[in-house]
Amino acid sequence: MSFYIAGTGSALPEKVVSNDDLAQFLDTSDEWIYTRTGIKRRHVLTDERLADLAILSAKRALEDAQVSADEVGLILCATMRGDTFTPSLACAIGEAIGSHAPAFDLNAACVGALYCMEVADAFISTGRADTVLIVGAEAMSKLVDWEDRASCVLFGDGSGAMVLKKGTGRLSAILSTDPDTHTIRMPNIEGINSPYNKNPQEKLAMHMDGGEVYKFAVNAMGHCIEEVCRRANLTPAEIDWYLPHQANARIIEASRKKFKIDKSKVLLNISEYGNMSATSVVVLLDEYARKGTFKKGDRLLFVAFGGGLTSGAVIVEWNK
Ligand code: UT7
């Protein structure tokens, strides 16, 4: 007995930036971005704070699950960087909803929401919590290098949330890391205050070797799909819905072809949001849950990869 998904929510910045908008200040085009990635537009933070989005998506998920703040036994936020180093985004969410539950942020890059699901599973299956609120929230526009056309065009900002309740639903999971500190790198503030620290400060912006990530992603997604199905005694054909990390439509298509997965089972929304890192699969889940796509008993397979290099997959039966 572990968890089922009891509710979902999401919140996105108001500002929408199209590929043509980017082409006004970058040497790029709608044609290049769309054909290489499947992205048409993305949401970008202006004067909102990331916490505003995280709180809104959390409230929407709690409302959807009909769960009150005092029922929440743990708040987890998947993010690479909140508005402040401390308090964490998870604490800001706790304050806004009026919860005293333990709350902390978890950074596993784009796989963060899946790592949170496994932490939630550990808390629920050992009796430490009955209800867990998971929020993915990323301000990618504050992390990317806006002079690097090969990476900044890929990302978007947003937040998604899900409420997990004790019950049956989670069928299997795999979390993995292929340690690599160069392929995707986002430096933190380092060595700028202390007279004893002579480390030069790296440029505070994302560096990414897109081609290397591409190769890793196709292999990692394939391995995770195979392994998570094996652990659940299922074949990839027995999965009803695939919810892949929305990094690049071509990466998703390559994994789909490898396992001869029916195209209609693979959920996509990358064209509207770009890559929102840890938030991607949660916003995707919320969007299709609200459309009524999932029926009771459907098997959902989440799969993701990202900086670290992290990867993972989780299979959950839809028992809402
Ligand atoms: O969550 C994980 C985060 N990371 C990823 O998911 C990244 C995974 N990788 C990718 O999605 C792809 O590798 C990219 C979309 C980043 C790049 O696609 P690609 O087909 O591997 O293109 P490329 O890097 O081989 O570049 C082809 C050309 C280059 O020009 P030359 O050297 O052939 O003259 C690039 O300079 O495209 C150029 N280019 C661009 N042109 C117009 C790179 N970025 C752009 C751009 N607009 N935005």
Side-chain angles (χ1 to χ4, degrees), residues 56-71:
L56 193 55
S57 69
K59 286 183 175 172
R60 287 176 174 159
L62 289 171
E63 192 187 337
D64 186 44
Q66 299 186 332
V67 160
S68 65
D70 40 313
E71 288 174 73

Side-chain angles (χ1 to χ4, degrees), residues 246-264:
Q246 306 288 298
N248 184 323
R250 284 160 59 217
I251 293 175
I252 296 170
E253 182 61 7
S255 306
R256 186 192 74 75
K257 280 192 174 150
K258 184 170 175 191
F259 290 102
K260 300 185 177 61
I261 296 164
D262 184 345
K263 204 167 187 166
S264 64

Side-chain angles (χ1 to χ4, degrees), residues 194-208:
S194 162
Y196 307 105
N197 188 343
K198 302 292 181 212
N199 281 340
Q201 176 64 54
E202 288 180 71
K203 185 176 181 184
L204 288 173
M206 179 199 270
H207 159 81
M208 185 177 73

Side-chain angles (χ1 to χ4, degrees), residues 26-29 32-33 36-37 110 148-151 153-155 184 206 208-215 217 245-248 250-251 275 277 305-307:
L26 282 170
D27 181 13
T28 190
S29 65
W32 192 96
I33 300 172
R36 301 273 174 155
T37 70
C110 306
D148 177 12
R149 64 176 182 170
S151 61
V153 303
L154 305 174
F155 295 93
I184 305 178
M206 179 199 270
M208 185 177 73
D209 183 338
E212 279 305 307
V213 180
Y214 197 106
K215 278 185 259 165
H245 172 44
Q246 306 288 298
N248 184 323
R250 284 160 59 217
I251 293 175
N275 179 348
S277 184
F305 61 90

Side-chain angles (χ1 to χ4, degrees), residues 21-41:
D21 292 336
L22 295 180
Q24 286 177 15
F25 63 94
L26 282 170
D27 181 13
T28 190
S29 65
D30 175 52
E31 202 268 333
W32 192 96
I33 300 172
Y34 185 66
T35 54
R36 301 273 174 155
T37 70
I39 299 166
K40 286 185 182 153
R41 53 190 75 84

